[in-house]
Amino acid sequence: MECLPGDEQPPVPVLLLKTQSTPGDSYHDKLTAAQLPQGRRLAPIFVPVLRHKFDEAGLDTLRGLLRDQRIGSRPDASYGGLIFTSQRAVEAFAHVVNTEKPAQEAPSWPNLEDVPIYSVGPATTRALSAVTQTPTLQVSGEHTGNGEALAHYILDHYGTRHSDRSTKPPLLFLVGEQRRDIIPRTLMDPSLAPARRIKVTERVVYGTGVMESFAADFSRELIASDAIVREPSALPSRWVVVFSPTGCESMLYELGMLDHAGKYVPGARDGNTCIATIGPTTRDFLIDTFGFYPDPQSVSSNM
């Protein structure tokens, strides 16, 4: 039987173990735009592992700061800038801005036209681009890629911006319940000269829990992808992309790769499923906890 051309074959499913980001998700955009050898396409499928919810107390605090224009360059401002390292924090920020917009007549709302906004990477920066004001937000730092590099960038950029001040205006860092402390620790390092040190206030604006339905949802997507009729190909039948240690055990169990002791069974792979991790933390967790090595040892999160 003659094989179908690649562009007529079903796309390769890519099961992304994450919640699809709003208002846009770079993984979805890049995967749907990609083209594999022989013209095959990719079909991103989101399988949420974590449940995110806004922290109302944090949102109320942020709302009050924006309404009262306490984030800005005025001498009486509480904060001189904002830091984002999470798309979920951007979503919380956008939620406050958008829900307040009908009550704000000025196009300058949320009144951050002269405020530096620091973003850890391209995905977070793209999410921030959906927050509209006139003029546009001043976002920088996306080239840094991680919290430590962003912190050092802020020390230089913010320090230069306020070089005439012996004490820098504090920065507001919008975070989730679980986060690393590398940015505040670096910016407030006691070994820094007082004129270089920057105070950081962390404000929790969202919380995270585990989706109870993840195992069942993932199993359902595996069954659906197994049912796709494909031509013989050297390409994998599907990809599974893991973003955090949460859900790894359920993922491996549903793929039939764990024994009764919760360890990887050598040779249990089906030969059709490739598993990739985003970043070394999740890769190391799979190796150290289950003895399982993902296909690419790690994938850099630069989307």
Side-chain angles (χ1 to χ4, degrees), residues 24 41 104 109 145 190 284 287 291:
R41 312 295 296 196
Q104 306 293 329
W109 169 257
D284 293 345
I287 295 170

Side-chain angles (χ1 to χ4, degrees), residues 65 69-83 112 114-118 154-155 158-159 161-162 165-174 183-184 187-188 194-203:
L65 290 169
Q69 299 186 36
R70 304 294 296 176
I71 305 174
S73 58
R74 300 185 319 190
D76 62 342
S78 300
Y79 301 100
L82 290 162
I83 304 173
L112 300 173
D114 59 348
V115 174
I117 296 178
Y118 297 106
I154 293 172
L155 282 172
Y158 199 67
R161 186 183 181 98
H162 295 286
R165 300 182 63 166
S166 58
T167 301
K168 305 293 184 286
L171 290 170
L172 180 62
F173 186 11
L174 301 182
I183 289 179
L187 298 184
M188 297 189 292
R196 184 165 169 77
R197 206 176 302 151
I198 303 169
K199 182 179 179 181
V200 178
T201 297
E202 295 178 279
R203 178 62 60 186

Side-chain angles (χ1 to χ4, degrees), residues 106-162:
S108 61
W109 169 257
N111 305 306
L112 300 173
E113 59 272 10
D114 59 348
V115 174
I117 296 178
Y118 297 106
S119 169
V120 76
T124 309
T125 299
R126 276 191 290 271
L128 281 165
S129 68
V131 180
T132 59
Q133 75 164 27
T134 304
T136 58
L137 298 177
Q138 297 184 23
V139 182
S140 66
E142 70 171 67
H143 64 283
T144 57
N146 62 70
E148 183 175 7
L150 179 62
H152 288 289
Y153 170 78
I154 293 172
L155 282 172
D156 292 336
H157 183 272
Y158 199 67
T160 300
R161 186 183 181 98
H162 295 286

Side-chain angles (χ1 to χ4, degrees), residues 219-237:
S219 177
R220 183 174 60 251
E221 295 297 347
L222 290 177
I223 293 170
S225 60
D226 282 336
I228 298 174
V229 178
R230 300 177 180 84
E231 300 286 346
S233 172
L235 296 172
S237 297

Side-chain angles (χ1 to χ4, degrees), residues 1-7 9-13 36-42 228-239 270-274:
M1 183 175 67
E2 186 176 351
C3 292
L4 292 172
D7 58 359
Q9 293 188 39
V12 176
L36 299 176
Q38 293 85 47
R40 292 284 299 277
R41 312 295 296 196
L42 296 168
I228 298 174
V229 178
R230 300 177 180 84
E231 300 286 346
S233 172
L235 296 172
S237 297
R238 65 186 167 213
W239 279 88
D270 60 14
N272 295 316
T273 303
C274 285

Side-chain angles (χ1 to χ4, degrees), residues 40-109:
R40 292 284 299 277
R41 312 295 296 196
L42 296 168
I45 300 167
F46 292 88
V47 186
V49 179
L50 301 176
R51 174 177 52 84
H52 302 284
K53 60 180 180 179
F54 293 144
D55 184 290
E56 293 301 329
L59 296 191
D60 286 344
T61 298
L62 176 61
R63 187 177 291 110
L65 290 169
L66 293 175
R67 281 176 180 169
D68 298 338
Q69 299 186 36
R70 304 294 296 176
I71 305 174
S73 58
R74 300 185 319 190
D76 62 342
S78 300
Y79 301 100
L82 290 162
I83 304 173
F84 291 94
T85 59
S86 160
Q87 291 185 61
R88 304 302 166 201
V90 175
E91 289 171 11
F93 173 66
H95 174 75
V96 169
V97 171
N98 292 333
T99 54
E100 283 291 308
K101 186 171 288 187
Q104 306 293 329
E105 297 181 358
S108 61
W109 169 257

